[in-house]
Amino acid sequence: MSDSIKMTYTVSDTDFTRAGEASSDVKKRLRQMGCDPEVIRKVAIAMYEGEINMVIHANGGEIEVEITPEDITMVLKDKGPGIPDIEKAMQAGYSTAPENVRALGFGAGMGLPNMKKYSDEMNIETTVGVGTTVTMKVHQ
Amino acid sequence: MLKVSELLKMDCFTVKNLPEGGGDREIGSIYCCDLLSIAMSKMTEAAAWVTVMSNLNTLAVASLSDVACVVLAEGVAVEEAMLQKAVQQEITVLWTELPIFDAALKIQKAFEA
Ligand SMILES: Nc1ncnc2c1ncn2[C@@H]1O[C@H](COP(=O)(O)OP(=O)(O)OP(=O)(O)O)[C@@H](O)[C@H]1O
Ligand SMILES: [Mg+2]
């Protein structure tokens, strides 16, 4: 078990119907690898929320996932509008999700708080007008 | 212990999708919420998730959360694309005319019986 596995996913810009496919795939792989169910749950929640945010708020992007015996690292990169006030965005309940997206069940303003809660390490780099990179790590 | 198959016997629930072995899943808890990121973080494994949110994202959350079944309440419309995804992802989907609370209460009563 010394190898590390790397995967790259393209997250489509506005296709809500496909959102979640990358997280599903990672979940499936972790299962096949016999990973601890609690670790799988943490990765699935954190990554799904990040993936959905890329679709809703940032016109899609790219996700890189690396699995090692020590941890699972997810890097979610987008070229969206960026987040002007991270502290505010991190607050539970804060959301700028538009009405059409809320009608689908999004917009509780719980995505980023969930990502923080379920990942063991999280870092957000964002520049307004340039994009956002969220890096999350879950320990095995 | 309450299996999904017990719900299938109840008049108020209609089967929209039943994957192989779906009826044998044991229901671990009953959960109600329509906001996906709240449901995602609060639902425990093998939940019976009662919601009016009837779309593909519901199924994505259901699958990632390993629910025992999704129960679509209030007689909401179920689109063909959603059924196809349910089949593909092997998610049990039930449907009822009942409001969320009443549907969950029926399941709870069966749970206690
Ligand atoms: N990748 C991103 N690019 C730009 N803005 C973002 C991004 N991710 C989050 N945001 C901003 O941060 C806010 C809070 O995000 P969060 O995921 O917590 O809530 P939400 O997506 O609005 O609703 P929920 O996740 O509960 O469905 C968003 O409404 C949006 O303004
Ligand atoms: Mg979100």
Side-chain angles (χ1 to χ4, degrees):
Chain A
M1 273 275 293
S2 64
D3 327 26
S4 83
I5 303 174
K6 269 189 191 165
M7 278 100 62
T8 306
Y9 302 92
T10 304
V11 179
S12 138
D13 46 352
T14 45
D15 192 355
F16 284 101
T17 60
R18 290 193 51 200
E21 280 185 5
S23 339
S24 273
D25 187 68
V26 170
K27 184 181 177 185
K28 212 183 296 165
R29 280 166 192 270
L30 291 173
R31 261 213 186 135
Q32 282 164 0
M33 294 166 77
C35 195
D36 174 8
E38 191 48 35
V39 170
I40 299 178
R41 176 175 150 81
K42 287 165 72 175
V43 170
I45 295 176
M47 184 166 161
Y48 178 71
E49 293 288 8
E51 189 180 348
I52 280 291
N53 277 356
M54 291 167 87
V55 179
I56 295 178
H57 307 294
N59 308 312
E62 211 167 72
I63 305 178
E64 275 174 31
V65 179
E66 186 176 9
I67 305 170
T68 72
E70 289 77 40
D71 46 41
I72 296 114
T73 308
M74 298 155 267
V75 182
L76 298 86
K77 247 181 242 172
D78 69 59
K79 294 193 176 75
I83 306 173
D85 187 342
I86 294 185
E87 213 173 295
K88 205 166 167 187
M90 288 299 303
Q91 280 172 16
Y94 177 81
S95 173
T96 61
E99 205 41 57
N100 64 322
V101 166
R102 286 177 191 263
L104 293 172
F106 299 109
M110 287 307 296
L112 284 171
N114 279 349
M115 288 155 73
K116 175 95 190 153
K117 179 174 167 196
Y118 288 99
S119 59
D120 295 309
E121 293 168 44
M122 176 162 123
N123 179 50
I124 302 177
E125 275 170 49
T126 184
T127 310
V128 173
V130 178
T132 302
T133 300
V134 180
T135 306
M136 294 183 286
K137 228 184 235 299
V138 172
H139 303 314
Q140 293 260 29
Chain B
M1 280 321 157
L2 179 67
K3 284 188 177 176
V4 170
S5 57
E6 294 299 316
L7 304 187
L8 306 179
K9 293 180 197 154
M10 293 161 72
D11 287 341
C12 52
F13 298 117
T14 306
V15 179
K16 288 289 182 185
N17 185 52
L18 187 64
E20 214 188 307
D24 292 330
R25 279 292 297 273
E26 263 167 27
I27 296 172
S29 62
I30 304 159
Y31 185 80
C32 306
C33 183
D34 299 321
L35 291 174
L36 298 178
S37 59
I38 293 180
M40 177 106 216
S41 87
K42 291 285 171 63
M43 256 190 300
T44 45
E45 205 183 303
W49 180 19
V50 190
T51 177
V52 296
M53 206 48 80
S54 170
N55 61 47
L56 293 168
N57 308 107
T58 310
L59 294 181
V61 170
S63 163
L64 288 166
S65 303
D66 276 322
V67 303
C69 61
V70 174
V71 181
L72 298 172
E74 294 279 9
V76 287
V78 185
E79 283 178 15
E80 185 54 35
M82 184 173 173
L83 289 180
Q84 279 172 17
K85 179 140 177 166
V87 172
Q88 181 203 327
Q89 304 251 322
E90 301 180 358
I91 301 166
T92 302
V93 179
L94 307 184
W95 179 92
T96 179
E97 297 272 6
L98 294 172
I100 294 179
F101 176 80
D102 300 289
L105 191 60
K106 291 261 187 206
I107 304 172
Q108 177 65 26
K109 288 212 167 125
F111 208 80
E112 287 167 358

